[in-house]
Amino acid sequence: MTTQFLDSRLSLNNTSSSGTEPLTTTPTLYGDIGLQTVNAIGTPNVNDVRIQLWGMVGVFRSAANTVDIFVERGGTGVFGTGTLIFSLNIELSAGPGHRDLTFVTGDFPPLADVVTGQIRYSTYLSINDPSPVILSGPVTFIGSASAGTS
């Protein structure tokens, strides 16, 4: 069956590079979208739903540290309550300086999630040691859902 567009969503946490919020060692929610899959239900495409996810996180650091980016499917907006589908560990060299971190991932959600009509995807950020890393921005999280095999 032909490819079927289902949905596209955008989460904008910060649209500039003037943020001052420090990241912590506890994964914290910074992007949250719900992608509609209802139009695939009852079609031959219901078993071929695929999700594309991408985002950007701008940080400022003065010392070396590591930033972790996590993406979960499902969940409640609290890290660990969903299914982890992506994790990225990015080492930051000593600064000072701004750095834009980008990521791209995908998901083939299980049928049980597809037939609910909407799938929640959440992005979390944390650092690995107490050296300060500021979430300066921008911070974006974007997702797209489609179905079909050709």
Side-chain angles (χ1 to χ4, degrees):
M1 184 163 199
T2 61
T3 301
Q4 176 184 13
F5 171 79
L6 299 176
D7 197 11
S8 181
R9 301 290 168 131
L10 168 66
S11 174
L12 293 173
N13 179 280
N14 182 352
T15 59
S16 71
S17 58
S18 60
T20 59
E21 182 179 353
L23 293 176
T24 68
T25 56
T26 302
T28 304
L29 179 68
Y30 285 99
D32 201 28
I33 57 177
L35 292 171
Q36 299 288 319
T37 58
V38 69
N39 287 335
I41 298 171
T43 74
N45 283 338
V46 72
N47 290 303
D48 295 314
V49 172
R50 55 186 174 265
I51 307 296
Q52 298 171 340
L53 303 163
W54 59 99
M56 184 178 120
V57 177
V59 297
F60 181 87
R61 85 289 187 195
S62 55
N65 204 329
T66 304
V67 174
D68 292 317
I69 300 173
F70 305 100
V71 178
E72 286 187 345
R73 176 188 345 108
T76 64
V78 175
F79 182 70
T81 60
T83 301
L84 184 66
I85 63 159
F86 176 81
S87 66
L88 178 62
N89 183 273
I90 302 171
E91 292 186 27
L92 302 176
S93 59
H98 180 86
R99 185 153 171 211
D100 293 324
L101 314 174
T102 61
F103 65 94
V104 176
T105 189
D107 187 32
F108 293 99
L111 181 61
D113 288 342
V114 171
V115 297
T116 65
Q118 177 175 285
I119 305 172
R120 182 179 187 172
Y121 289 91
S122 305
T123 300
Y124 302 88
L125 304 172
S126 66
I127 55 175
N128 286 344
D129 69 64
S131 300
V133 174
I134 302 299
L135 188 62
S136 56
V139 181
T140 62
F141 180 48
I142 305 163
S144 177
S146 60
T149 57
S150 58

